[in-house]
Amino acid sequence: MYQKIEASTCHVASRKIVSNFAMKNENHLDEMIRLAFDIEHDLHIKAFWSLDLVCEKKLKQFAAYIEDFCIILPKIKDASALRPATKIAFFLTKSNHRKNGISLTQEQELNLIEALLDRLIQDEKVASKVYAMKALFVLGKKYDWVHDELKMIISQDYSNHSAAYQAATRNLLKKLNK
């Protein structure tokens, strides 16, 4: 697994090869996740690149690692790892909201909320902020105060960002104001 991750690139085709390889073997997936969560390791970014594809296809395979993910999410510093990590957070919150999805504990939900709100107020790239907003929107269906916080943060931050961020913010504000 290590060699596959090391040889991978950010291109989708390369990431798919690695994620498919990991999904076929529990030990490979475990190794990928351990590398992704080791934020001091050089390959943790590449591991996250493929891990988000695993979570997109087979989120239930990631269920045993949710607690560790909630701990590591606020510690991620690199923008290239943060985008797939916030995307995974979005997948988790979306699944948690569904009837037969993955169930997050209240503590995990609150840890995700805190980490994602922190990401919104920090100087992060647009994609990470958009996934954080989407995840927080879903969590706000259970915790009303999250929608209030989300509205306040994205409204204040609106004019300081790119057109892409503003478009995502406008769409979310429409949903929040319904």
Side-chain angles (χ1 to χ4, degrees):
M1 187 77 244
Y2 185 92
Q3 289 81 14
K4 290 242 185 235
I5 293 171
E6 188 175 41
S8 70
T9 67
C10 64
H11 296 96
V12 175
S14 176
R15 292 171 36 227
K16 279 184 180 178
I17 290 168
V18 175
S19 66
N20 288 337
F21 185 75
M23 285 186 286
K24 290 178 185 171
N25 182 307
E26 201 172 302
N27 292 330
H28 293 155
L29 179 62
D30 185 62
E31 186 177 353
M32 174 194 279
I33 291 170
R34 278 188 289 112
L35 270 173
F37 289 5
D38 183 359
I39 60 173
E40 301 302 322
H41 198 288
D42 292 342
L43 291 181
H44 97 95
I45 297 165
K46 286 185 171 188
F48 259 116
W49 289 348
S50 297
L51 183 57
D52 82 327
L53 294 178
V54 170
C55 292
E56 187 172 19
K57 287 183 183 178
K58 301 214 175 183
L59 189 60
K60 291 199 186 261
Q61 286 187 313
F62 187 70
Y65 304 94
I66 293 171
E67 191 65 36
D68 292 334
F69 176 74
C70 290
I71 293 167
I72 202 68
L73 181 61
K75 298 177 183 176
I76 297 171
K77 295 172 186 83
D78 191 283
S80 295
L82 188 58
R83 183 207 54 80
T86 54
K87 190 174 181 183
I88 291 168
F90 172 59
F91 293 148
L92 288 171
T93 59
K94 215 165 70 169
S95 179
N96 184 52
H97 195 67
R98 292 190 181 127
K99 207 174 249 185
N100 295 324
I102 288 179
S103 293
L104 300 174
T105 65
Q106 184 176 17
E107 183 180 351
Q108 290 167 340
E109 291 170 338
L110 294 173
N111 287 340
L112 287 174
I113 290 168
E114 182 180 347
L116 294 168
L117 284 171
D118 284 348
R119 294 305 178 175
L120 275 185
I121 59 176
Q122 294 172 4
D123 187 26
E124 305 293 355
K125 293 201 174 188
V126 172
S128 298
K129 286 190 173 212
V130 170
Y131 285 122
M133 282 189 268
K134 288 179 175 184
L136 288 164
F137 176 76
V138 174
L139 287 162
K141 293 177 181 181
K142 182 173 179 181
Y143 303 98
D144 293 341
W145 63 269
V146 173
H147 281 175
D148 296 334
E149 286 286 318
L150 184 56
K151 248 193 251 190
M152 184 182 72
I153 292 169
I154 63 177
S155 296
Q156 289 174 348
D157 218 18
Y158 181 81
S159 61
N160 299 330
H161 285 284
S162 67
Y165 178 86
Q166 290 177 0
T169 301
R170 272 192 309 274
N171 290 336
L172 191 57
L173 283 171
K174 283 180 190 173
K175 291 178 184 177
L176 288 167
N177 290 324
K178 283 185 181 180

